[in-house]
Amino acid sequence: MDYNILFSFALATSALAISPGPDNIYVLVQSITNGKSYGLATVSGLITGCIVHTTLLAFGVSAIIKANEDLFFAIKVLGAIYLLYLAYKVYKSSPQLNLDANAVPKKSLKGLFVQGFFMNVLNPKVTIFFLAFFPGFLFSESMSTVVQFYILGGIFMLVSFIIFSSIALLAGQIKKYITKHRNSGLILKWLQIVVFIGIAIFILL
């Protein structure tokens, strides 16, 4: 096992979870509007949905690896290209963070969990992102690739849960900081760009 690769994966996951995206912004706004428990319910649903994507990836890509190593290499190259495309999209986007509370309807805790779950599972961009992100971080030549993908999925879910939950619990302070520091959105925007480009280079090399 190459623990350096696992550490790199956890670090990249942390940076991605901190960077502003539809999921963590929704968690932040939900917590600001309705309370921390509602943000945590959303987080739990989102993270649970990752189990589905990890399972599809583990069995689907593992079968491809067994069938054709060249095809697996092509998947990694296409994954790197997709990550560079995401970096370009972030570059073209506005650095302003939208914390519009009016966009968040009031729901029960169970309703938010279910919504978070389906927000994740039914989003094809998550599937594509997992396919682009995970294969470049396989860390063992002897361990089953299915097991490796589940370990990576577990790390991804644990790190994301910790960071997303922290966003929910610290929503009030985060909002004050963003309001006070107008350039925070720009800093987070460039963090996303650097992370996407860095992961793409890591996968290619």
Side-chain angles (χ1 to χ4, degrees), residues 25 29 35 41 46 57 70 82 108 110 119 128 151 180-181 185 191 195-196 205:
I25 290 293
V29 176
L46 288 167
L57 181 72
D70 291 334
Y82 178 69
S108 66
K110 180 181 178 181
M119 274 175 63
I128 296 170
I151 290 173
K180 186 177 179 181
H181 299 83
L191 172 64
V195 170
F196 281 138
L205 297 180

Side-chain angles (χ1 to χ4, degrees), residues 74-110:
I75 287 175
K76 291 205 291 184
V77 171
L78 290 173
I81 292 171
Y82 178 69
L83 290 166
L84 292 173
Y85 166 72
L86 291 180
Y88 174 75
K89 282 192 69 177
V90 173
Y91 173 74
K92 297 293 287 183
S93 67
S94 169
Q96 299 302 318
L97 299 179
N98 182 16
L99 302 180
D100 182 13
N102 295 323
V104 179
K106 181 78 172 181
K107 291 191 174 185
S108 66
L109 294 177
K110 180 181 178 181

Side-chain angles (χ1 to χ4, degrees), residues 153-166:
I155 293 172
F156 183 89
M157 285 183 277
L158 176 62
V159 172
S160 298
F161 180 80
I162 291 170
I163 292 177
F164 276 35
S165 295
S166 299

Side-chain angles (χ1 to χ4, degrees), residues 63-177:
I64 291 172
I65 294 172
K66 289 179 181 178
N68 193 322
E69 285 284 347
D70 291 334
L71 182 56
F72 177 61
F73 177 74
I75 287 175
K76 291 205 291 184
V77 171
L78 290 173
I81 292 171
Y82 178 69
L83 290 166
L84 292 173
Y85 166 72
L86 291 180
Y88 174 75
K89 282 192 69 177
V90 173
Y91 173 74
K92 297 293 287 183
S93 67
S94 169
Q96 299 302 318
L97 299 179
N98 182 16
L99 302 180
D100 182 13
N102 295 323
V104 179
K106 181 78 172 181
K107 291 191 174 185
S108 66
L109 294 177
K110 180 181 178 181
L112 283 171
F113 175 87
V114 172
Q115 178 176 311
F117 177 80
F118 283 109
M119 274 175 63
N120 188 287
V121 170
L122 299 180
N123 186 350
K125 291 182 180 179
V126 178
T127 305
I128 296 170
F129 178 76
F130 270 46
L131 184 59
F133 185 38
F134 279 42
F137 289 89
L138 292 175
F139 52 88
S140 174
E141 293 183 0
S142 57
M143 186 182 294
S144 162
T145 51
V146 172
V147 174
Q148 289 185 69
F149 278 127
Y150 270 110
I151 290 173
L152 291 175
I155 293 172
F156 183 89
M157 285 183 277
L158 176 62
V159 172
S160 298
F161 180 80
I162 291 170
I163 292 177
F164 276 35
S165 295
S166 299
I167 291 172
L169 294 172
L170 301 173
Q173 292 90 322
I174 292 171
K175 183 181 180 182
K176 288 179 184 177
Y177 183 87

